[in-house]
Amino acid sequence: MTCYQNMINDLTDIIQREGLPYKDTIIIGNNSSGKSELIKNLLQKAGFENWYLIDAVNRYFSAGQIFQMSGEASKLQFSRKIAEYRLEEDNFNRKDTFYYMGVPTSIENFYFEFAAEIKRLIREFLGVELEIKQTEVGYEVYLDNVISTLSSGYQALVRIFMEMEYVKRTMEKGTVIVEEIDEFLFAYNSGRIFEFLRQEYPQFSFVVTTHSADLIANAKRANIVLLSDGTYEFLDAEDFNSVSQVYNIFDSIFRDTKILDDKERIDTSLRRLLNNKVSGIWEQEDEKEFTRIKEMNLTKIQKVLIRQIEEW
């Protein structure tokens, strides 16, 4: 088993046994850091029970797809097949999907099951009145009583809210994974969406991935998992109060870590180890790495970090 796979398995175990300080977790890392692999592992190890996935491509909503369900089909129930189908290689982050009652379908078909709540959520989040009305030729969207088309940002919000209302209706508790939760949202709304969902759906835990510094700066009482160069580090969202503070972290993980010199590599490792110690997440691999670093020729600052880790 590779070190990379060990990292994915370690993180999966820590998150699933609730070994982090908070119930909600934000994952950040570059595109090859392992975010998608971690998400897949979390769902597969859980057997998809009480876990739900909204992957990055499920951000579309079309009023033209609405078809009012009736009879047995309208009686909502939880289906693990939704997440299983979304994880299939041809679908994951490639196709918008909603697998229900044994067949692929459109989530828009269930819009009127959730219409009152969707309207309330859009009103509270954006301050806009949303109406979808049936006409002779189909359904039309109205925003503040003006016939409109839904921008990508509006579609993303309506879709996330619809998925969450489905989860609320069919799962008493569990964990919802939202990949690239800020996809298509303006910076202001990116900064608010995570906390808004946590407030509206407190019975669920959230695991989200993001590239939004605004989201992290506005997050409270949440774990942050940094994935970089085959390693991971735990941080506390409470330690970040501004976007500029978050950008300092982003600079360290979104640049090419291969160009780091030895000093920078040791600094990065010690910072990760200290945060893991402070967070109460100290694994056997951390102890091995810490022992190895202590034997190196260290700077005075690095020796101070060593002492802080030992004394914590």
Side-chain angles (χ1 to χ4, degrees):
M1 185 179 294
T2 65
C3 292
Y4 176 82
Q5 191 59 51
N6 281 332
M7 178 192 76
I8 298 298
N9 289 336
D10 287 347
L11 282 173
T12 298
D13 178 63
I14 291 168
I15 293 172
Q16 289 189 336
R17 63 178 164 83
E18 299 179 349
L20 294 170
Y22 308 112
K23 74 183 187 74
D24 300 315
T25 300
I26 303 166
I27 302 171
I28 58 176
N30 59 37
N31 290 333
S32 60
S33 62
K35 298 193 301 294
S36 294
E37 288 77 6
L38 176 58
I39 285 169
K40 292 177 181 179
N41 215 44
L42 283 166
L43 289 160
Q44 290 164 347
K45 289 289 182 67
F48 298 93
E49 293 297 333
N50 295 318
W51 284 70
Y52 190 81
L53 169 67
I54 309 173
D55 57 336
V57 294
N58 289 284
R59 295 293 189 280
Y60 301 101
F61 177 86
S62 171
Q65 294 288 328
I66 294 176
F67 176 80
Q68 285 190 276
M69 307 289 279
S70 61
E72 290 299 316
S74 68
K75 295 180 180 178
L76 292 169
Q77 54 188 282
F78 176 75
S79 174
R80 55 184 283 176
K81 290 292 185 182
I82 295 172
E84 287 181 346
Y85 192 67
R86 286 175 175 174
L87 277 194
E88 290 184 7
E89 186 175 351
D90 289 342
N91 297 330
F92 186 62
N93 283 334
R94 294 184 180 183
K95 295 180 183 177
D96 186 302
T97 64
F98 191 77
Y99 192 97
Y100 190 74
M101 299 295 286
V103 294
T105 187
S106 298
I107 196 172
E108 286 92 339
N109 292 339
F110 299 97
Y111 173 76
F112 287 105
E113 292 282 337
F114 312 124
E117 280 302 295
I118 301 302
K119 289 164 62 176
R120 180 187 67 81
L121 292 163
I122 290 293
R123 184 188 312 118
E124 293 188 4
F125 191 75
L126 295 176
V128 173
E129 292 292 336
L130 168 70
E131 288 281 354
I132 296 180
K133 302 177 182 179
Q134 188 169 16
T135 67
E136 293 181 357
V137 295
Y139 292 93
E140 295 284 359
V141 176
Y142 292 79
L143 298 175
D144 285 339
N145 295 316
V146 176
I147 192 167
S148 308
T149 57
L150 292 176
S151 68
S152 58
Y154 270 102
Q155 289 185 52
L157 288 171
V158 171
R159 183 57 180 272
I160 289 174
F161 294 156
M162 280 198 68
E163 300 264 1
M164 288 306 308
E165 285 301 307
Y166 167 77
V167 172
K168 178 181 176 181
R169 192 82 64 87
T170 60
M171 287 171 59
E172 292 184 3
K173 61 180 181 178
T175 301
V176 179
I177 298 175
V178 188
E179 250 208 311
E180 305 300 346
I181 188 174
D182 55 299
E183 188 82 0
F184 301 124
L185 302 184
F186 290 122
Y188 176 69
N189 290 330
S190 294
R192 299 167 57 227
I193 185 63
F194 180 60
E195 287 299 313
F196 185 80
L197 292 179
R198 296 171 75 192
Q199 177 181 326
E200 289 290 332
Y201 305 99
Q203 67 270 50
F204 299 109
S205 298
F206 287 92
V207 175
V208 306
T209 67
T210 187
H211 290 110
S212 170
D214 296 271
L215 183 150
I216 295 171
N218 282 282
K220 303 298 180 187
R221 296 184 59 79
N223 313 301
I224 298 176
V225 178
L226 276 66
L227 300 180
S228 179
D229 198 26
T231 65
Y232 60 88
E233 179 180 353
F234 298 107
L235 299 176
D236 189 329
E238 293 287 324
D239 293 336
F240 300 94
N241 299 310
S242 69
V243 172
S244 60
Q245 288 179 319
V246 179
Y247 276 131
N248 289 334
I249 298 298
F250 278 20
D251 285 343
S252 70
I253 64 173
F254 291 123
R255 62 178 172 169
D256 184 0
T257 55
K258 292 181 180 178
I259 67 174
L260 296 176
D261 61 24
D262 288 342
K263 177 183 177 300
E264 289 176 305
R265 286 182 183 278
I266 295 171
D267 287 344
T268 300
S269 294
L270 287 174
R271 181 165 58 84
R272 182 184 71 82
L273 291 169
L274 179 59
N275 277 292
N276 286 1
K277 200 68 174 291
V278 171
S279 300
I281 307 298
W282 187 261
E283 304 291 328
Q284 185 176 5
E285 290 301 317
D286 293 328
E287 187 66 39
K288 290 179 180 178
E289 184 177 2
F290 183 58
T291 300
R292 179 179 60 81
I293 291 175
K294 286 199 298 182
E295 297 174 353
M296 294 179 176
N297 184 22
L298 304 175
T299 67
K300 291 181 179 179
I301 296 299
Q302 289 168 349
K303 290 178 180 178
V304 170
L305 287 172
I306 290 287
R307 188 162 60 249
Q308 288 177 331
I309 293 170
E310 289 178 329
E311 291 175 354
W312 190 266

